[in-house]
Amino acid sequence: TTASSDSHFMTVAATMMVSSVASAAAFLIVGRFRLANLLRFMPYPVVGGFLAGSGWLLSVGGISVMCGVSPSPETMHKMITPAVAYLWLPGVVYGIALFAVMIRWSHFLILPGSMAIATALFYVGFAVAGISIDNAKSAGFLVSGLPANGLWPAFSVSDLSLINWAVVWHQVPGVLTVVLVTVVGMLLNMSGIELGTGSETDMNSEFTVCGSANFLAGCGGSIPGYPAISLSLLGFKTGAISRWTALVTAAVVGVVLFAGGRVLEFFPRPLLGGLLLLLGLFFIYDWLIVTRKRLPLADYGIVVCIFLVIGIFGFIQGVAFGLVATVIFFVVRFSRVPVVASSFSAVNRHSLKQRPIPHRKILTTEGGRIIGYELAGYLFFGSTATLVASLKEKLSTKPHPALVIIDFKNVSGFDVSAINNFTRFVVTAAAGRILVVFTSAPERFVETLKAHLPEPAASFIAFFPDLDHGLEWCEEQIICGALTETTTSVGNRDVLFDQSVDDVIAHLERQERFEALVESLAPWLQHRDYSANAVIMAKNSRLDTLYLVVSGEATETNPDTGMRQRTFAPGDVIAPQAAFSTTTAENTILAANTCKVALLTQDARQLLENEAPELAISLHGYIIQKRAD
């Protein structure tokens, strides 16, 4: 019945209204909270392929507008018939010729001038062929189907009572899908417009404006919408970049909406299709020809593949293919980015712990059994798989390391797959009885790795808060092992003695000179004893005194990070500049064990220089030498 038809119409209109208003709300939320930048991570090749595919769809759509037949292998036999070919051939010739001209010259009068000339030629052809206006319309040469009267309003307020709201409610899942597609379409089109014009837009502002427009359009029963690439770039490509272009377009659409569009029925339809073909050719030329010189071969291949998929299977399939292909290429490329910032062994890198000369000699000869890797960046399944593969290869070389240090200080993050790869590496290392030491690893990494490791492998890992303490522990393992072998072998003891004796003698001579210097400076020095872990110097404290470590050890630590900066042994100088000018302590210095220091204040130094200048020169020379060391 008529009432039933009206009810169906109003229910469909209400569904469109809800879709538009919901899309408007989504757009306004994105714009209001400036979330557009979170949606902009659309890969360049995907947008390029999307624009190239849009060019193909515009070209095919232009030909379809000309003759009413969509070009495809199935319709080709129909398109080459004279009755249909007469409709699309003039438009194709017009579009291609205009494209060739506009590629070479760019002027805003070329397009309107060509349309005026082509329209005149059409009517001259009608006159020569004896075709009347009505016959031209019926044959499909002129635009037809426009309303003689206005289209507004489509319904009245009283018609709202005809809406079946139960049916509208059941369409909510579809409405949400429309909202999602609309937001993605807005993002793609705006990205395409940016690339097409070579200028950046305020995406949040565009979402806000488009949301307001959708709200107003939805109240009138319109479907949701967003800026169209074809119409937005048509003015740009033809040189009509004035705001008058949009105002005139809006005026023409408004006239058709409120007064009807009979006057537009005198416009040749092949020219309308030719304009769409022109814009499609521009897209294809820009993104398949010009872009080839700007993109690497792999990225250009993605653009071409998206273009082909859109042309063969459809728009959604093409964009989806592009996103999947780009993600795969990204993973492969990112996997090749090295996550190892630096590598070392204990031969060329030592902990800050002060060690006796025999122990240092052991590390010089055996330090190659400790290898370390400082990682950086984000660890995910691709990059970690490459890293673990190289680590396993290192374990298989002869002689293989005894300890492997992996430092996480500069790692920004990791995924679960990275932990799985490290788990397999620890299991492999444990099978070869190789210890793996993780330093500066996040707590979540430590807990997850422990949870994944089988019980036998768990005894072959160790964790330390920083690289220095981890390296110190590894050195202890090597030194203890070497000393155990030395105690059971006379030959090893002799070798170690021969390697150390010269350095021991040199060290004793230096220590003897230092003790003699301290003894000579006794009248000007103050002595102070510190127990283990006592604060010798606090960070940011005011310093006007030089410290000479007489016995024991002291450690300089950054209290903010807890990291050890250096250690002081007998003969070392702490804060030498404080004897000459007042300064501030950069870090905290603690006594590592029972420690005795000699203090030289600024006043005492001045007395020393006045009363014993030669001794003062000796002290200054010693300080300079220690700083150089």
Side-chain angles (χ1 to χ4, degrees):
T1 63
T2 303
S4 177
S5 299
D6 290 342
S7 177
H8 291 165
F9 170 76
M10 288 305 302
T11 302
V12 172
T15 304
M16 292 191 297
M17 292 170 64
V18 172
S19 299
S20 296
V21 173
S23 299
F27 284 2
L28 290 172
I29 290 173
V30 171
R32 171 65 180 82
F33 294 100
R34 308 195 65 80
L35 303 176
N37 290 335
L38 300 178
L39 306 173
R40 296 188 71 137
F41 298 111
M42 189 68 66
Y44 184 88
V46 174
V47 179
F50 162 71
L51 290 175
S54 298
W56 170 257
L57 296 180
L58 284 171
S59 301
V60 172
I63 296 175
S64 178
V65 168
M66 299 176 201
C67 61
V69 178
S70 181
S72 67
E74 292 77 15
T75 60
M76 192 58 62
H77 67 283
K78 184 177 181 180
M79 293 190 63
I80 61 176
T81 59
V84 178
Y86 286 148
L87 296 175
W88 61 264
L89 270 177
V92 169
V93 171
Y94 170 74
I96 294 176
L98 188 56
F99 170 75
V101 171
M102 296 185 70
I103 283 293
R104 190 173 182 85
W105 298 284
S106 178
H107 195 280
F108 71 94
L109 290 178
I110 292 178
L111 178 62
S114 67
M115 292 174 60
I117 294 173
T119 302
L121 290 176
F122 262 96
Y123 280 94
V124 169
F126 294 158
V128 171
I131 302 175
S132 66
I133 299 298
D134 291 337
N135 290 336
K137 288 182 181 179
S138 61
F141 284 108
L142 299 177
V143 175
S144 60
L146 295 175
N149 300 313
L151 295 172
W152 185 264
F155 53 83
S156 62
V157 176
S158 60
D159 292 331
L160 297 177
S161 61
L162 301 175
I163 299 173
N164 188 337
W165 290 107
V167 174
V168 174
W169 173 253
H170 285 297
Q171 300 303 314
V172 168
V175 169
L176 296 178
T177 303
V178 169
V179 172
L180 176 62
V181 172
T182 303
V183 172
V184 174
M186 171 74 172
L187 174 65
L188 279 171
N189 279 16
M190 289 308 304
S191 299
I193 292 171
E194 284 185 335
L195 288 179
T197 59
S199 60
E200 186 174 356
T201 62
D202 184 348
M203 193 76 81
N204 292 297
S205 175
E206 295 294 336
F207 267 95
T208 301
V209 172
C210 193
S212 302
N214 270 284
F215 179 78
L216 293 176
C219 292
S222 173
I223 61 174
Y226 44 85
I229 288 184
S230 56
L231 299 178
S232 299
L233 293 185
L234 180 61
F236 178 80
K237 291 294 185 182
T238 56
I241 56 177
S242 169
R243 292 187 177 183
W244 282 103
T245 304
L247 294 175
V248 171
T249 302
V252 171
V253 172
V255 169
V256 174
L257 179 64
F258 293 104
R262 294 296 294 270
V263 68
L264 297 179
E265 292 188 349
F266 294 95
F267 187 77
R269 198 161 76 170
L271 295 188
L272 181 60
L275 292 177
L276 293 176
L277 175 62
L278 169 68
L279 194 58
L281 292 175
F282 270 122
F283 283 179
I284 294 173
Y285 175 77
D286 287 343
W287 295 101
L288 291 185
I289 307 300
V290 177
T291 305
R292 175 63 191 93
K293 303 174 183 178
R294 302 197 301 256
L295 290 180
L297 184 60
D299 292 323
Y300 178 74
I302 293 177
V303 174
V304 174
C305 289
I306 295 175
F307 170 77
L308 294 175
V309 172
I310 289 177
I312 297 173
F313 299 103
F315 170 75
I316 298 297
Q317 293 88 334
V319 174
F321 169 83
L323 288 173
V324 172
T326 304
V327 169
I328 293 174
F329 271 91
F330 171 79
V331 170
V332 172
R333 288 169 175 169
F334 196 58
S335 299
R336 296 174 181 172
V337 177
V339 294
V340 178
S342 65
S343 59
F344 60 89
S345 73
V347 173
N348 50 37
R349 183 166 183 170
H350 303 142
S351 69
L352 295 175
K353 181 177 177 59
Q354 293 285 349
R355 298 191 182 279
I357 291 173
H359 291 184
R360 296 205 295 267
K361 285 298 179 181
I362 292 174
L363 292 177
T364 300
T365 56
E366 299 291 329
R369 300 181 63 193
I370 302 174
I371 60 174
Y373 298 90
E374 293 181 278
L375 308 184
Y378 186 85
L379 304 180
F380 75 113
F381 62 91
S383 59
T384 312
T386 304
L387 169 64
V388 168
S390 64
L391 292 178
K392 287 183 177 180
E393 184 178 352
K394 187 70 175 179
L395 298 185
S396 64
T397 59
K398 298 292 184 179
H400 62 74
L403 300 105
V404 178
I405 303 174
I406 302 176
D407 181 59
F408 275 66
K409 179 182 178 182
N410 295 315
V411 171
S412 58
F414 58 90
D415 63 8
V416 176
S417 299
I419 297 177
N420 181 56
N421 281 313
F422 278 116
T423 301
R424 291 189 287 109
F425 169 68
V426 172
V427 171
T428 302
R433 308 199 65 78
I434 299 171
L435 295 171
V436 182
V437 176
F438 293 94
T439 61
S440 302
E443 183 177 352
R444 185 169 67 90
F445 176 88
V446 175
E447 296 299 328
T448 309
L449 182 62
K450 288 180 178 179
H452 280 71
L453 275 177
E455 188 63 32
S459 59
F460 285 86
I461 60 171
F463 300 94
F464 292 92
D466 56 67
L467 178 57
D468 181 51
H469 285 88
L471 185 55
E472 177 187 338
W473 184 83
C474 292
E475 291 172 346
E476 296 287 351
Q477 307 308 305
I478 294 297
I479 292 171
C480 289
L483 291 178
T484 300
E485 294 178 3
T486 300
T487 57
T488 59
S489 172
V490 176
N492 288 340
R493 287 201 300 271
D494 292 340
V495 170
L496 181 59
F497 177 79
D498 291 339
Q499 291 175 341
S500 306
V501 63
D502 292 338
D503 289 339
V504 169
I505 293 173
H507 173 73
L508 291 175
E509 291 176 348
R510 289 194 299 270
Q511 192 65 24
E512 183 180 1
R513 289 196 299 270
F514 172 72
E515 291 175 355
L517 178 63
V518 171
E519 185 177 352
S520 302
L521 293 170
W524 295 275
L525 295 178
Q526 302 174 20
H527 291 273
R528 191 173 298 171
D529 295 326
Y530 294 92
S531 59
N533 298 320
V535 177
I536 298 175
M537 184 183 299
K539 183 179 180 180
N540 298 325
S541 61
R542 183 174 177 271
L543 300 179
D544 57 2
T545 303
L546 173 147
Y547 292 69
L548 295 171
V549 180
V550 178
S551 64
E553 290 185 3
T555 303
E556 181 181 356
T557 305
N558 186 332
D560 298 328
T561 63
M563 294 185 61
R564 182 169 56 186
Q565 303 298 310
R566 61 171 296 186
T567 57
F568 299 94
D572 286 337
V573 183
I574 301 176
Q577 70 277 16
F580 303 92
S581 62
T582 302
T583 184
T584 301
E586 296 181 356
N587 292 299
T588 297
I589 298 180
L590 304 173
N593 45 42
T594 301
C595 186
K596 183 177 181 179
V597 298
L599 287 68
L600 179 68
T601 65
Q602 293 181 14
D603 293 338
R605 177 190 60 80
Q606 292 176 355
L607 287 174
L608 172 65
E609 292 175 348
N610 293 331
E611 298 173 0
E614 293 184 359
L615 184 57
I617 292 175
S618 298
L619 174 61
H620 295 167
Y622 182 80
I623 293 173
I624 293 172
Q625 180 186 357
K626 293 300 293 184
R627 288 182 67 86
D629 294 341

